[in-house]
Amino acid sequence: MYPLKRGLLEEGKVKYIGLSEASLSTIQRTHKVHPLTAVQSEYSLWSLWSRGVEKDIIPYLEAEGIVFVAYSPLGRGFFADDFSLQGSKEDVHHYLPRFQGDHVTANQEVFKVICNLSASYLELDDEIIHLLDKTFDESNTYGSQYPSMLIGELEK
């Protein structure tokens, strides 16, 4: 943990700490130094492709009594009815690989499959389960969550 944070903890100025978008190894290392209260991570339909949060992070958090805080359940707005990339060039979406070039077009096709499923009543027969498995296969992920230089920082 950074000296500034450790000093604030020792002085009693910070009682609870949490992390955002951290890898499992970062969570484990930090929790050894000071008990974590919460971990925040993107958790939306995008998460269905990798299931990394479900496979690795959430089981650890549950075992340690750490709260999981999901953010961006609508995939940074992508899965909202009115999503558009027509906004300002300063909009963060323009810098995220999922929303660039061919990636956004390919991801819109995946969204069409999702939209064709009824949210009010859904009976999952084998055909629908197969369609969902095929749609949410990791090979259908177009564009990473963050630019590669940031991914490397998150995984430290």
Side-chain angles (χ1 to χ4, degrees), residues 24 43 49-60 138:
L24 180 59
Y43 195 62
W49 277 278
S50 66
R51 300 269 196 206
V53 171
E54 292 174 14
K55 285 191 272 187
D56 303 324
I57 294 175
I58 290 177
Y60 178 79
E138 280 189 66

Side-chain angles (χ1 to χ4, degrees), residues 23-105:
S23 67
L24 180 59
S25 63
T26 298
I27 294 167
Q28 291 169 329
R29 285 192 322 266
T30 304
H31 192 58
K32 285 179 186 176
V33 174
H34 186 277
L36 288 170
T37 302
V39 172
Q40 177 187 30
S41 188
E42 180 177 1
Y43 195 62
S44 68
L45 290 172
W46 295 118
S47 307
L48 295 175
W49 277 278
S50 66
R51 300 269 196 206
V53 171
E54 292 174 14
K55 285 191 272 187
D56 303 324
I57 294 175
I58 290 177
Y60 178 79
L61 299 179
E62 287 176 345
E64 296 296 322
I66 303 167
V67 174
F68 178 75
V69 179
Y71 83 85
S72 193
L74 294 177
R76 299 178 190 259
F78 183 80
F79 299 112
D81 287 338
D82 60 352
F83 178 77
S84 172
L85 286 172
Q86 304 307 315
S88 160
K89 289 294 179 194
E90 294 160 1
D91 182 333
V92 70
H93 292 96
H94 294 287
Y95 302 100
L96 300 173
R98 290 181 184 158
F99 304 103
Q100 295 175 349
D102 292 340
H103 295 158
V104 73
T105 304

